[in-house]
Amino acid sequence: MQFMLLFSRQGKLRLQKWYVPLSDKERKKISRDLVQTILARKPKMCSFLEWRDLKIVYKRYASLYFCCAVEDQDNELITLEIIHRYVELLDKYFGSVCELDIIFNFEKAYFILDEFLLGGEAQETSKKNVLKAIEQADLLQEVSMLSSIDGFSWLF
Amino acid sequence: MPAPIRLRELIRTIRTARTQAEEREMIQKECAAIRSSFREEDNTYRCRNVAKLLYMHMLGYPAHFGQLECLKLIASQKFTDKRIGYLGAMLLLDERQDVHLLMTNCIKNDLNHSTQYVQGLALCTLGCMGSSEMCRDLAGEVEKLLKTSNSYLRKKAALCAVHVIRKVPELMEMFLPATKNLLSEKNHGVLHTSVVLLTEMCERSPDMLAHFRKLVPQLVRILKNLIMSGYSPEHDVSGISDPFLQVRILRLLRILGKSDDDSSEAMNDILAQVATNTETSKNVGNAILYETVLTIMDIKSESGLRVLAINILGRFLLNNDKNIRYVALTSLLKTVQTDHNAVQRHRSTIVDCLKDLDVSIKRRAMELSFALVNGNNIRGMMKELLYFLDSCDPEFKADCASGVFLAAEKYAPSKRWHIDTIMRVLTTAGSYVRDDSVPNLIQLITNSVEMHAYTVQRLYKALLDDISQQPLVQVASWCIGEYGDLLVSGQCEEEEPIQVTEDEVLDVLEGLLVSNLSTPVTRGYALTAIMKLSTRFSSVNRIKKVVSIYGSSIDVELQQRAVEYNALFKKYDHMRPALLERMPIMEKTATNGPTEIVQTNGETEPSVVEAKHPPPVTQPANQANDLLDLLGGNDVVPVIQTTMPTKPASAGGELLDLLGDLSLSGIPPMTAYSKNGLKIDFTFERANPNPNIAVITIHASNSTEADMTDFVFQAAVPKTFQLQLLSPSSNVVPALNQGTVTQVIRVLNLQKQQLRMRIKLTYTHKGSPVQDLAEVNNFPPQSWHAHPSLGLIG
């Protein structure tokens, strides 16, 4: 996978994970153009498209578009499953996840993604294990915060 | 100083902004606060501030001043800090900036941290954005972690290793020992990432590939277990056990089985099993089937298995899910060359996909349909494709039209069918037809001698209907100019001949000249057509009048033509019949690609008129004799001027010169380069009737005892020339003159100057790269000498 973007139906970026080295400017341009292209597609269309010599796989969940750019040899159908798995993880973590959860807890969305994918490939195929790891890491974070500020675990 | 506001509060506040300007103001205010907080080196709230900065960065605002702060967070001992720090590094830094190198030491320490979650953060960051330098520095640490028994870390280390290998391929060797028992792991995470690592290594190195072939039985076993094992809640997806792992294993098997009989044989059974037993009601199952099909098609599978695979794709085509249909069409497109007959069985389903609503599916269905056209199904297929052409989006029309022409040319059951098909395309998608179709069609029509009357009649009728589609108009004008006599004589056999007078025909052609819809090119065609009719019609005076009017046209091209035609009437009337007589049959040259323009005999397209590069046209000898017989010539290959027609004033003189020119073939070969054992000879092809193009073949031979590999020949010519270099026969020049590398060069020499060339040679000899530049100045004069030319005005 080269990158994954999450964006709303108004085209606002909610998450961007890049697995290839690109400058900020290049990233902005790609995001902007790709988002526009996908938003222009009709609902009945295919989840796959070829865009600027990249293979794009995208799926809409409620008000959020999940969009990945994959390599030529990557299996598009399993990429859809990867996207679905990520949504399931978010759903389990936040409890019936909605866009607002991801807006207000974007850093957590990243943490979860980073426990599921690494360098663009799946590192863990068990839902349980990913969630367990996140849970433990969250605990570690709380512990590390307890010793600070006012004794309460305000997560910044 | 009050504590900086919390992240969630900032997000809430920013979202209340009603305008972009309001938002910008809030952001700027907060950024200023954050900046001063950074300046004060505040440790307590650094994490909070960077988190806020990351949010604002996602909204599109600059956040570069937070880069160093991320590094400080990474260096902190608090897990919270590290988590945000690493996240910030991945979002704000990229390997082009030197700042990121400062992370290296922190990452190194964290890779050895006592807490696995910290180690995990470091591995993740390195595997996501590590630059080559960082990878080089830290590869050893990654390799160590690859051997750990902690599966949480091992799986991450494997993917991190993949990234390292991608960045620094030379380091691949060092990971080899650690791969030893990766596949004996029970943990699916480790298994999955290990398979990814093995795949990466096998893709990059044929040695690794050979080495890992022995893993095939083990992989087959693992896959078998996944399929046969009962329900495993941890890895289950809609009744399938760990589809992600299954797909990756199938992909690795594909790489291992390709071009290897034994491995392919070992995986035959499991592939058949997966292909037949996988549940297809959900996307998951189809994802696995898809990967299986790709594997079956790529390895040396037995034919029964291949047919099974194609049938799976055929079933995919009928699936309601358009994603599945898309994937099926893509795969079928890849296999249509090798398994043509099997794919043919699904032709009707594929043709149905032409009517799909999705653009990508339509396009693939179109490409696949063209690939499936053959002599047997041409009529039926063409019907569907023409229907598609009528109704499809403009973006498809050009490709579809070209496809139809190509298919018609190859498989037309009859000449009439062919002409009808062309007519249909021209009338329905005439404006989308590619420019090079026009000369192709003209040639086709010329060669269908018995259909001339029918063709010109149909084209004439089409013109009466619509003169807006330029390619149609151009072809029609040309035909009327050529066969106008057949048109007015009402000779058509194929259909009811129409009654039309010479004046009516001239009305139509003149109408083209004045119409706003006609492009300059079209006007050129029309004028020339009118001129040609002067030898076919009797109303010569009318034609003379038209021609003289355009002698003062603003359009330079029209003006030139008109002036020359005028001169033809006035001074060279005795030559007019010969020059304007019916075109002989043209033989089509082999085109090298769809963009090459086949030059019709004497007719010029505007690009050629502007003296760009006409490709060589080889005229068959008998045709030449036909022409020259009229002039009392001998058996010399005629030189036909295909660029701008020369002034008729010199035409007479040049004609005579032609007779004196003999034997243009037989230009002696020459040695262009000979140094360090590498010799390059040039040979010249049978001299082209087009005097402006030299076709040179290079022959590279190697007299040393070692092969010259990665051999690349490059040539450059002075600005007044143009060069085209075709593909070489190979890029290895074998040692001891055991063989030669040949390559064809075409040089366009419009100004008929002495040919000079600079060549650059690069190759690898005995392990070291060699490069040399040389000038080639000893071209024989015959290769570029100007020939007198016959101004055949068409």
Side-chain angles (χ1 to χ4, degrees), chain A residues 44 46-47 50 104 115, chain B residues 8 152 322-323 358 364:
Chain A
K44 290 250 185 247
C46 202
S47 291
E50 268 135 26
F104 278 91
E115 276 301 327
Chain B
R8 317 265 177 250
Y152 177 77
K322 55 191 132 26
N323 294 332
D358 186 301
R364 274 172 172 63

Side-chain angles (χ1 to χ4, degrees), chain B residues 470-692:
Chain B
Q470 300 307 294
L472 171 63
V473 175
Q474 286 167 14
V475 174
S477 320
W478 192 92
C479 281
I480 295 176
E482 238 349 72
Y483 311 119
D485 48 325
L486 298 175
L487 186 58
V488 296
S489 66
Q491 278 178 26
C492 186
E493 281 169 9
E494 298 278 343
E495 62 172 23
E496 185 68 34
I498 56 172
Q499 309 297 333
V500 65
T501 66
E502 291 184 1
D503 277 319
E504 284 169 334
V505 174
L506 288 171
D507 283 341
V508 169
L509 287 177
E510 285 186 45
L512 293 177
L513 278 174
V514 301
S515 165
N516 284 337
L517 297 168
S518 300
T519 63
V521 175
T522 306
R523 293 207 178 94
Y525 272 86
L527 188 61
T528 301
I530 292 177
M531 184 59 189
K532 280 195 208 167
L533 290 173
S534 72
T535 54
R536 294 156 174 75
F537 282 2
S538 50
S539 24
V540 182
N541 286 328
R542 177 171 176 183
I543 294 175
K544 270 197 201 167
K545 237 198 289 200
V546 174
V547 163
S548 67
I549 292 174
Y550 280 90
S552 41
S553 161
I554 298 177
D555 183 331
V556 175
E557 169 60 23
L558 277 185
Q559 194 191 102
Q560 168 143 18
R561 288 189 187 209
V563 164
E564 290 171 9
Y565 296 158
N566 245 337
L568 203 55
F569 274 126
K570 295 205 162 62
K571 289 197 253 176
Y572 296 94
D573 210 40
H574 58 285
M575 297 187 59
R576 192 163 44 87
L579 286 170
L580 298 178
E581 70 145 27
R582 188 84 93 225
M583 290 292 183
I585 302 203
M586 297 172 238
E587 223 179 68
K588 192 164 183 183
T589 60
T591 53
N592 282 325
T595 53
E596 188 149 315
I597 301 173
V598 172
Q599 200 58 49
T600 59
N601 198 348
E603 185 55 66
T604 58
E605 278 76 68
S607 59
V608 177
V609 167
E610 286 150 33
K612 285 217 190 93
H613 33 135
V617 176
T618 51
Q619 307 290 348
N622 54 350
Q623 171 202 340
N625 287 339
D626 287 343
L627 278 168
L628 291 172
D629 277 342
L630 295 163
L631 310 166
N634 49 24
D635 54 348
V636 165
V637 175
V639 175
I640 314 289
Q641 170 76 289
T642 49
T643 51
M644 283 167 97
T646 56
K647 297 241 163 53
S650 47
E654 286 182 324
L655 278 171
L656 293 173
D657 276 346
L658 177 64
L659 303 178
D661 196 29
L662 292 166
S663 174
L664 301 168
S665 54
I667 299 176
M670 55 176 265
T671 300
Y673 175 92
S674 180
K675 202 165 145 189
N676 295 333
L678 175 63
K679 186 154 89 96
I680 301 199
D681 289 326
F682 283 5
T683 57
F684 301 86
E685 305 295 85
R686 184 177 77 84
N688 231 287
N690 185 328
N692 301 320

Side-chain angles (χ1 to χ4, degrees), chain B residues 71-338:
Chain B
L71 295 177
K72 291 179 197 163
L73 283 175
I74 291 174
S76 155
Q77 284 314 303
K78 294 227 292 276
F79 184 67
T80 295
D81 285 354
K82 282 186 190 290
R83 237 184 170 185
I84 293 292
Y86 277 116
L87 178 61
M90 285 192 274
L91 288 175
L92 299 182
L93 296 175
D94 73 75
E95 61 175 56
R96 286 109 183 278
Q97 299 152 329
D98 291 328
V99 151
H100 84 283
L101 284 172
L102 299 170
M103 271 200 292
T104 313
N105 218 31
C106 282
I107 294 188
K108 186 169 192 169
N109 291 335
D110 284 343
L111 283 174
N112 291 305
H113 203 273
S114 48
T115 312
Q116 69 177 17
Y117 297 104
V118 174
Q119 289 173 291
L121 286 176
L123 281 167
C124 181
T125 307
L126 181 60
C128 178
M129 63 169 294
S131 64
S132 323
E133 298 95 331
M134 277 170 75
C135 287
R136 249 185 257 273
D137 286 340
L138 301 170
E141 305 296 326
V142 176
E143 198 260 345
K144 238 171 35 200
L145 288 170
L146 192 49
K147 298 194 283 221
T148 178
S149 52
N150 178 336
S151 44
Y152 177 77
L153 291 176
R154 207 169 184 202
K155 70 188 186 196
K156 290 181 194 267
L159 289 182
C160 199
V162 170
H163 180 82
V164 169
I165 291 174
R166 285 182 183 156
K167 282 296 194 188
V168 193
E170 307 91 73
L171 291 175
M172 183 164 38
E173 293 280 329
M174 74 182 281
F175 292 108
L176 186 53
T179 62
K180 211 150 184 218
N181 43 16
L182 276 177
L183 289 186
S184 10
E185 265 276 359
K186 287 273 175 286
N187 178 297
H188 281 221
V190 178
L191 271 178
H192 186 271
T193 58
S194 303
V195 173
V196 174
L197 175 58
L198 292 169
T199 307
E200 187 70 29
M201 291 168 101
C202 290
E203 275 174 344
R204 282 182 182 269
S205 153
D207 289 333
M208 291 286 182
L209 179 57
H211 172 85
F212 284 126
R213 280 228 170 85
K214 58 181 195 268
L215 293 177
V216 170
Q218 206 174 357
L219 288 166
V220 169
R221 230 175 11 247
I222 299 175
L223 190 51
K224 196 162 190 156
N225 282 339
L226 285 172
I227 301 172
M228 309 290 278
S229 69
Y231 176 73
S232 147
E234 198 176 334
H235 297 111
D236 181 271
V237 180
S238 304
I240 297 186
S241 193
D242 206 340
F244 305 107
L245 181 56
Q246 289 196 32
V247 164
R248 276 332 283 241
I249 291 180
L250 285 163
R251 186 161 147 184
L252 180 55
L253 285 176
R254 176 154 82 243
I255 296 170
L256 294 173
K258 196 172 185 163
S259 350
D260 187 86
D261 289 321
D262 292 331
S263 306
S264 299
E265 178 136 14
M267 51 181 88
N268 230 337
D269 284 345
I270 191 70
L271 289 174
Q273 208 180 347
V274 176
T276 38
N277 289 341
T278 308
E279 183 66 46
T280 59
S281 53
K282 292 251 172 77
N283 182 60
V284 201
N286 288 320
I288 295 177
L289 275 180
Y290 176 40
E291 196 73 36
T292 310
V293 165
L294 290 178
T295 300
I296 292 175
M297 300 314 293
D298 242 14
I299 64 171
K300 300 200 149 206
S301 43
E302 33 173 71
S303 61
L305 202 52
R306 291 182 90 83
V307 171
L308 178 60
I310 303 246
N311 288 345
I312 291 178
L313 291 179
R315 274 205 315 273
F316 273 5
L317 281 180
L318 299 167
N319 197 305
N320 284 331
D321 187 339
K322 55 191 132 26
N323 294 332
I324 311 269
R325 292 203 299 276
Y326 176 92
V327 143
L329 286 170
T330 310
S331 314
L332 284 170
L333 206 47
K334 284 192 218 154
T335 64
V336 72
Q337 302 302 334
T338 45

Side-chain angles (χ1 to χ4, degrees), chain B residues 363-377:
Chain B
R363 177 165 285 281
R364 274 172 172 63
M366 182 182 82
E367 287 169 11
L368 202 45
S369 299
F370 280 122
L372 289 174
V373 171
N374 63 26
N376 293 329
N377 57 37

Side-chain angles (χ1 to χ4, degrees), chain B residues 61-76:
Chain B
Y61 295 93
H64 45 270
F65 58 91
Q67 285 168 1
L68 277 172
E69 302 300 313
C70 293
L71 295 177
K72 291 179 197 163
L73 283 175
I74 291 174
S76 155

